[in-house]
Structure formats: C-alpha cells, structure tokens
Amino acid sequence: MNKVATLVPNNNFQYAATVSSGPYTSAAESAAFLSAGEKFRRDRMEAADMISTDEAASLLGVSLVRVNAWVESQRCIGISIPDGGYRLPRWQFEHQMWPMLQLVASALGAADGWQVLAFLEAPALGLDGQTPRSAIEQGVPAERILAIAAAESH
C-alpha cells in the first residue's frame, strides 16, 4: 500500500515529516495539518525577529510608503497581517541578505512573502541541510542559492 508523507511545521519554524498509512491523508490528518499551519503562521508573525513596516521605515531611514512599495514589488519580504499591513523579518535588511531578496523571489517565481520566507528558512538538500538564509549569511555564492531557488520553483 502507498504511504503519504506530509510536512508539518513545528514550534521551531522547521518542518517535520509525518507518514500516512494510506494513499491519501485522512480528514483528521488534513485538519491537524491546517491547524498546525495556522498556528505556525501566527507564531512566525509574532516572533521576536519580525518588525512592523513602521519599525522597518525607522530602521532604514525611509518612508512607510517606500517600505510598502518594496513589499508590493517583492524587494523585501512582507507578510500580510489580518488587520492590514505587514510584518517583516528584521534580518532581511542585513548587508548580505538585502541584495539577494529580489533575486531569490524572482528565481522562486514567488507570489508572496511567505514563499520567500519559507524558502530561506527551510533546510535545503542542495546546501547539505543548511538553510538558504544561513548559507547567504555565511557567504555561499549567490549563483548556488539562486540555482536552488530556481529548482525549487519547478
């Protein structure tokens, strides 16, 4: 019988695999996955490294309008919050990361900030289990990161 592996986010903003005994996940497994995903997203938006657009504008010495424009154009990672506005990972404004963001978003064909954030924070086989974020911070060549992002998009 076929088994189905499902990635479920855990409390450390990483993913753990669970395996179903049938060819499809059960309704209970699907509900648990969706619930875990909602909690994961909520917890990630409230994490200590996330800042508001106002805080980002102040940090960078630019207007709030400019930060919002960057989010809209995927120049930076912005996660929509339910009551309007965005939360942004502060680390994206570090000098190693900033020039890579738009390139990574483009290579991924990303539709939103979650996709870019998930890519950067998930361990990558092509980086021996290291996250693309830590690889960028440690100076791994941009070409390698972008190749992995492009492969991920297919």
Side-chain angles (χ1 to χ4, degrees):
M1 178 167 281
N2 294 337
K3 296 188 182 274
V4 174
T6 305
L7 292 177
V8 178
N10 66 25
N11 291 336
N12 297 322
F13 307 117
Q14 300 296 319
Y15 292 86
T18 63
V19 179
S20 264
S21 59
Y24 305 103
T25 58
S26 70
E29 289 169 322
S30 294
F33 179 74
L34 292 172
S35 177
E38 288 173 18
K39 181 180 180 336
F40 173 80
R41 285 179 179 237
R42 191 173 46 256
D43 290 348
R44 185 65 189 96
M45 284 190 289
E46 295 171 3
D49 69 336
M50 298 296 274
I51 60 177
S52 69
T53 50
D54 287 327
E55 292 168 313
S58 178
L59 174 71
L60 300 169
V62 299
S63 71
L64 178 60
V65 171
R66 176 163 291 178
V67 173
N68 283 322
W70 285 342
V71 170
E72 301 286 329
S73 68
Q74 294 188 339
R75 174 68 182 96
C76 69
I77 300 167
I79 307 301
S80 295
I81 55 177
D83 56 347
Y86 300 98
R87 300 288 293 164
L88 299 87
R90 181 185 190 101
W91 50 258
Q92 73 180 309
F93 302 113
E94 298 293 328
H95 73 277
Q96 313 96 312
M97 193 64 60
W98 184 243
M100 289 291 297
L101 293 173
Q102 201 165 23
L103 298 172
V104 167
S106 179
L108 286 169
D112 61 29
W114 276 117
Q115 190 175 357
V116 179
L117 185 63
F119 170 76
L120 289 170
E121 293 187 336
L125 291 175
L127 296 169
D128 298 324
Q130 185 178 28
T131 67
R133 174 187 167 193
S134 66
I136 292 167
E137 291 169 344
Q138 293 174 14
V140 170
E143 296 79 19
R144 185 166 176 203
I145 304 299
L146 296 175
I148 292 167
E152 178 105 358
S153 74
H154 297 292

